[in-house]
Amino acid sequence: MASDHTVELALPLAAGEGEAALVTRALAGDHAAYAALLRPHERVAYRVAAAITGWNGNAEEATQNAFVKAFRSLPRFRVGAAFRPWLLRIVVNEAHNVRRAERRHERLGARAAERHEAPVPGPDEALLAREEVETVLGALARLSDTDRLAVVLRYFAELPDAEAASLLGTSKEAYRVRLLRARRRLQTLLEKADV
């Protein structure tokens, strides 16, 4: 971003410029190239982070942290490799970091709440649609990290099986089995929540 006292020296982006060229330019310090490299992956990165951290500001924090960490780690990226799985691996790690930090804060908050009991909101204050979303996200949160990630990559990130398997470091068939088991566990949790 240029200020009043600096001049942006980035080369204009060529139409249809490939990832390898953008990576090379970003490695040379071209911030516009790095932004162009991220642009097609921003939404899926946010959805993955949100599914892990919850649909709140933590997802945005995790995504932004991942983008910064990816920029700093760009020299270790193998030019010619697919960028999205590499980026999403960083997003997943950062989302888990943010989630762990949030849990620490929740434990501290729970201790403080024991001392000062807050009023319980009335049942009319919650909307039915929000309750359903919370039920699904709550069930998703009770899955193991590997099960949750399998579901997130398929239904939130909408990744093809081969790409999700690559991100998890497993075969496509093993990913499909993991996803099937994760969906069954999630369904069981949702059925118990309805009772």
Side-chain angles (χ1 to χ4, degrees):
M1 187 181 299
S3 71
D4 293 338
H5 304 290
T6 62
V7 176
E8 192 70 47
L9 297 176
L11 299 171
L13 296 177
E17 186 170 14
E19 275 188 356
L22 289 173
V23 168
T24 301
R25 287 178 52 192
L27 282 167
D30 185 342
H31 295 285
Y34 185 65
L37 188 61
L38 288 180
R39 197 167 295 116
H41 310 293
E42 288 175 339
R43 290 183 64 182
V44 70
Y46 178 80
R47 287 194 308 249
V48 167
I52 293 170
T53 64
W55 298 94
N56 54 34
N58 290 338
E60 188 172 325
E61 178 184 351
T63 304
Q64 292 302 317
N65 290 349
F67 290 169
V68 169
K69 188 167 276 186
F71 182 75
R72 290 180 183 152
S73 301
L74 208 51
R76 292 192 304 259
F77 176 72
R78 190 172 38 100
V79 177
F83 183 73
R84 183 161 78 168
W86 180 81
L87 176 66
L88 290 181
R89 189 169 290 121
I90 295 171
V91 170
V92 166
N93 290 338
E94 285 304 307
H96 284 301
N97 290 342
V98 168
R99 192 165 159 244
R100 279 191 292 275
E102 180 67 19
R103 284 182 183 155
R104 283 191 297 271
H105 291 295
E106 285 174 359
R107 284 193 299 270
L108 292 174
R111 288 183 198 149
E114 288 173 359
R115 296 180 188 155
H116 305 286
E117 227 174 279
V120 178
D124 293 337
E125 294 177 37
L127 298 171
L128 182 59
R130 182 66 185 162
E131 288 173 358
E132 290 174 0
V133 168
E134 288 174 359
T135 299
V136 172
L137 290 177
L140 192 61
R142 287 192 299 273
L143 291 176
S144 69
D145 285 346
T146 55
D147 286 351
R148 183 180 325 101
L149 193 52
V151 171
V152 164
L153 293 177
R154 167 59 71 82
Y155 297 105
F156 291 87
E158 299 174 354
L159 294 182
D161 290 349
E163 207 170 315
S166 171
L167 184 63
L168 294 174
T170 188
S171 70
K172 188 163 68 168
E173 293 75 23
Y175 169 71
R176 287 179 177 162
V177 169
R178 182 182 291 177
L179 178 63
L180 177 64
R181 290 179 181 157
R183 284 193 309 216
R184 286 180 182 158
R185 290 180 184 119
L186 183 61
Q187 183 63 39
T188 300
L189 289 169
L190 290 172
E191 287 170 0
K192 288 179 182 177
D194 285 342
V195 175

